[in-house]
Amino acid sequence: MSKDALMNKPLVSCIIIFFNGEKFFEEAIESVFAQSYDNWELLLADDGSSDRSTAIAQAYAQKYPDKVRYLEHENHQNRGMSATRNLGIRNAKGQYIAFLDADDVWLPHKLARQVEIIESQPDVGMVYGRSQYWLSWTGNPEDIQRDYIPDAYLSPQIYHPPTLLTQCYPLGHATPPPPSDIMLRREIIELLGGFEAGYQGIYQLYEDQAFFAKLYLQYPVFVSGECWDKYRLHPDSCGSVVNKSGNYQIVRQFFLNWLENYLSAQKIQDAQVWKALNNALLAYRNPTLFKFKKMIDRSNGQIRGLVKSLIPKY
């Protein structure tokens, strides 16, 4: 494609953050190169890796200097996911930003479709779709048929603030997007102050949710029914490690406490948001009342089911 033709397409800054991710790293990078949309730059942001992933990233940057850049923190520090996403954002030149985690892959039409949507919806700050939860990557016969797209995604449409905050997990029940599924306007990321650097160690499991919470409070989001990425499920992922360590509830409570402080600092008064947050916090601040409330809700559900079964059908 000619240089003039490329200039008519918005530049997308694709950011892959990585830390000792050599096992799946090249597959992630190659899925960017396989995109049907061609006006992109790829920023490989190193969070202080000590395995081969640093050399892999540097090799791509050397081989494709016009498309790929290697980034690292000062003195090759390990500073966590949020700080490393912010490193990529600070160096991005594109109008739009798309994240790809180093263990996931994009489908070839991902950037093309998301650019088409976000260009047609000038008021939305973010676009996301439906991720394929990917288990067949192992190649094991028992995993071949195990891939799935969760049923709990919201219906396709534009959602205005603060709807997604109360409807998507962790305050609601709808499936939230993983970072690999989203496209954002760079200017909006900057206006929101980027990702929260305080989410480090085990707490970085929720670093994306903290950013989403800030965005959901201020900007409309386009939710699509299309699938654009494969979200790899494997035992070494951040979520799997936290769950196996038994620390998941500690991490979730950390996020909920942060959100409470953030809402207060931003003087958010929306009653539905506070109701959803207080319901989520109840399990940690008053476990007895929480169990009683769950029992009442379960009983009410059973009563409604019984009444419905007794009503004659015509």
Side-chain angles (χ1 to χ4, degrees):
M1 179 171 288
S2 69
K3 188 174 182 180
D4 289 340
L6 278 177
M7 288 178 65
N8 292 326
K9 292 183 175 182
L11 177 65
V12 180
S13 296
C14 308
I15 300 174
I16 302 181
I17 65 169
F18 64 96
F19 173 69
N20 293 344
E22 64 178 1
K23 186 174 182 180
F24 307 119
F25 194 23
E26 289 181 88
E27 192 174 6
I29 294 172
E30 288 298 324
S31 77
V32 179
F33 277 84
Q35 291 298 298
S36 60
Y37 189 87
D38 48 10
N39 195 21
W40 51 263
E41 64 171 357
L42 176 58
L43 299 107
L44 302 174
D46 193 342
D47 192 20
S49 299
S50 58
D51 69 351
R52 284 184 56 253
S53 54
T54 295
I56 292 169
Q58 291 172 338
Y60 271 95
Q62 290 168 6
K63 187 175 181 180
Y64 304 100
D66 295 334
K67 297 291 281 184
V68 182
R69 282 182 284 154
Y70 170 78
L71 307 171
E72 63 177 344
H73 299 294
E74 186 177 1
N75 299 320
H76 201 68
Q77 295 176 72
N78 171 245
R79 295 185 54 193
M81 292 184 192
S82 288
T84 309
R85 291 196 199 280
N86 290 339
L87 173 66
I89 294 161
R90 286 196 303 272
N91 287 275
K93 299 176 181 177
Q95 180 179 349
Y96 303 122
I97 286 181
F99 294 102
L100 175 59
D101 286 348
D103 51 357
D104 296 336
V105 299
W106 285 342
L107 299 179
H109 59 296
K110 197 263 192 190
L111 294 183
R113 282 294 294 136
Q114 289 193 323
V115 168
E116 182 181 357
I117 291 169
I118 203 167
E119 286 275 286
S120 70
Q121 303 290 341
D123 294 330
V124 306
M126 184 173 83
V127 173
Y128 76 86
R130 303 187 176 198
S131 296
Q132 178 182 352
Y133 281 47
W134 190 23
L135 291 148
S136 64
W137 66 266
T138 63
N140 296 331
E142 63 270 23
D143 293 331
I144 297 301
Q145 301 298 323
R146 295 181 63 202
D147 295 345
Y148 67 97
I149 295 175
D151 295 328
Y153 276 111
L154 293 172
S155 58
Q157 65 182 68
I158 294 176
Y159 289 85
H160 294 274
T163 306
L164 290 182
L165 183 57
T166 59
Q167 292 198 17
C168 285
Y169 190 85
L171 294 191
H173 300 291
T175 301
S180 297
D181 187 44
I182 66 176
M183 179 174 285
L184 297 142
R185 299 183 192 276
R186 191 186 71 189
E187 62 181 347
I188 283 177
I189 302 176
E190 293 168 349
L191 287 170
L192 290 171
F195 287 72
E196 294 293 307
Y199 281 76
Q200 296 180 331
I202 61 172
Y203 302 111
Q204 63 188 335
L205 174 64
Y206 265 59
E207 53 93 29
D208 54 341
Q209 299 304 327
F211 175 79
F212 290 154
K214 297 194 297 184
L215 186 141
Y216 294 158
L217 285 166
Q218 294 195 45
Y219 297 99
V221 175
F222 187 99
V223 177
S224 170
E226 300 177 38
C227 178
W228 297 313
D229 68 289
K230 293 184 178 182
Y231 176 59
R232 193 189 308 260
L233 303 181
H234 63 96
D236 297 320
S237 70
C238 181
S240 295
V241 170
V242 170
N243 280 322
K244 284 187 291 188
S245 69
N247 288 319
Y248 177 76
Q249 293 301 330
I250 295 173
V251 173
R252 185 167 186 263
Q253 186 177 11
F254 176 88
F255 165 77
L256 295 174
N257 289 336
W258 170 87
L259 182 57
E260 182 180 42
N261 292 331
Y262 182 80
L263 294 177
S264 297
Q266 298 296 313
K267 297 181 170 56
I268 302 299
Q269 298 180 358
D270 187 277
Q272 290 300 112
V273 170
W274 280 105
K275 180 181 178 181
L277 176 60
N278 288 328
N279 284 340
L281 281 167
L282 190 64
Y284 306 100
R285 296 185 176 174
N286 195 330
T288 302
L289 181 58
F290 175 74
K291 290 177 182 177
F292 180 72
K293 184 176 181 298
K294 283 191 71 174
M295 182 178 68
I296 294 297
D297 290 344
R298 190 180 303 115
S299 298
N300 288 340
Q302 291 171 345
I303 291 170
R304 284 193 296 270
L306 177 61
V307 170
K308 186 177 179 180
S309 69
L310 293 173
I311 295 175
K313 296 180 181 179
Y314 296 96

